[in-house]
Amino acid sequence: MAPSSPTASAASPITPLAPSVIVTRLRAAGCVFAEDEAQLLADTARDPAELAAMVERRVSGRPLEHVLGWAEFRGLRIAVDAGVFVPRRRTEFLVQQAAALAGPGAVVVDLCCGSGALGAALGAAVAGIELHAADIDPAAVRCARRNIADAGGRVYEGDLYEPLPGALQGRVDVLLANVPYVPTEEVGLLPPEARIHEARVALDGGADGLDVLRRVTADAARWLAPGGRLLFETSERQVPYALDAVADGGLVARSVSDEEMYATVVIGTRPA
């Protein structure tokens, strides 16, 4: 009997996908920046089999960041697992505003932290901050713990202020709160990448989009140090109501916007 071929029982090798094929498939799936995405996928994959699997996940509608396992945010690679809210580029404006207000060694809380992108970015921008973060989503907490490790931060799992150490009350210099602010009826209008693949708790802000925000502002003054600031992102149409919520919480409110980034941030200051 003739000996069997040495490759007869081996798994068939995966034929590498040509870059042009990847671009064509991504473009057909509706990816606007197909060439850039193809390069990112190719750079991230460890072998042809992994690249093929990543392309399949992307063309099926998964967010690029979930496929890659990371998102770029203010020059950092932020780990983003499946189901976790992907940090938006416009939110870099929120970190920019916070960095201008936080001095070295500031006590910072990143509330509704998601992946921890805001805290990580602020920690990279401001030296020696004392960073605490919290989120109600266990998957997000796992990501955040990886992402803010370099800043020496601590992450807590729970609803808003509930899991934070009581010793932080009256000591927080900068309170970041990337709260969900999409009205419930509008969640279904979001792109499929968000409404299908991100946790709803990170998107749904209640009937008018401000339910979670009002809970944050109602208790912010108790956690802020004198002169401390609360910063959060909101939509342009929600600004008047967000300012009212901040004022109702005993803080001095103002808003700033960046038209190029399509970003609006509300800042509330605890009177000194």
Side-chain angles (χ1 to χ4, degrees):
M1 183 171 62
S4 60
S5 167
T7 60
S9 60
S12 299
I14 299 293
T15 302
L17 292 173
S20 60
V21 172
I22 297 175
V23 170
T24 298
R25 294 199 63 196
L26 292 174
R27 190 175 289 130
C31 300
V32 177
F33 303 104
E35 292 83 359
D36 294 338
E37 292 196 13
Q39 189 62 57
L40 285 169
L41 293 169
D43 291 345
T44 303
R46 292 166 292 187
D47 54 50
E50 184 174 41
L51 177 57
M54 292 172 73
V55 171
E56 288 299 323
R57 291 198 295 273
R58 181 59 180 138
V59 300
S60 72
R62 302 232 179 163
L64 175 65
E65 294 81 1
H66 289 168
V67 176
L68 296 174
W70 56 270
E72 182 180 350
F73 188 79
R74 280 183 63 91
L76 303 177
R77 279 197 175 188
I78 301 296
V80 182
D81 292 338
V84 175
F85 182 82
V86 175
R88 307 320 197 226
R89 282 299 179 89
R90 65 175 176 268
T91 308
E92 293 183 354
F93 182 62
L94 174 57
V95 176
Q96 177 185 325
Q97 296 301 308
L101 298 172
V107 178
V108 176
V109 169
D110 182 1
L111 210 58
C112 301
C113 69
S115 64
L118 277 65
L122 190 57
V126 182
I129 66 172
E130 179 185 332
L131 177 59
H132 302 264
D135 200 284
I136 198 170
D137 179 10
V141 168
R142 289 193 293 271
C143 277
R145 285 178 175 149
R146 287 147 56 195
N147 288 321
I148 72 171
D150 288 346
R154 298 185 62 186
V155 186
Y156 312 90
E157 182 181 332
D159 184 27
L160 299 182
Y161 302 102
E162 180 271 329
L164 295 177
L168 285 175
Q169 292 185 24
R171 292 186 55 236
V172 179
D173 299 302
V174 173
L175 175 57
L176 297 169
N178 197 21
V179 297
Y181 58 89
V182 179
T184 300
E185 291 186 353
E186 296 180 19
V187 172
L189 303 177
L190 293 173
E193 290 181 349
R195 71 172 187 267
I196 296 174
H197 296 287
E198 293 180 331
R200 186 170 181 116
V201 70
L203 304 169
D204 192 340
D208 64 353
L210 299 175
D211 283 0
V212 181
L213 171 62
R214 291 190 184 94
R215 293 178 58 210
V216 170
T217 59
D219 216 19
R222 185 161 63 94
W223 294 85
L224 290 172
R229 276 96 166 198
L230 162 69
L231 299 95
F232 59 87
E233 181 180 278
T234 192
S235 70
E236 186 175 350
R237 69 180 179 180
Q238 292 170 322
V239 168
Y241 311 103
L243 291 173
D244 286 345
V246 171
D248 289 345
L251 306 180
V252 178
R254 63 185 176 94
S255 66
V256 289
S257 299
D258 186 301
E259 292 185 1
E260 290 186 5
M261 299 185 73
Y262 197 61
T264 299
V265 169
V266 172
I267 302 171
T269 303
R270 179 184 168 188

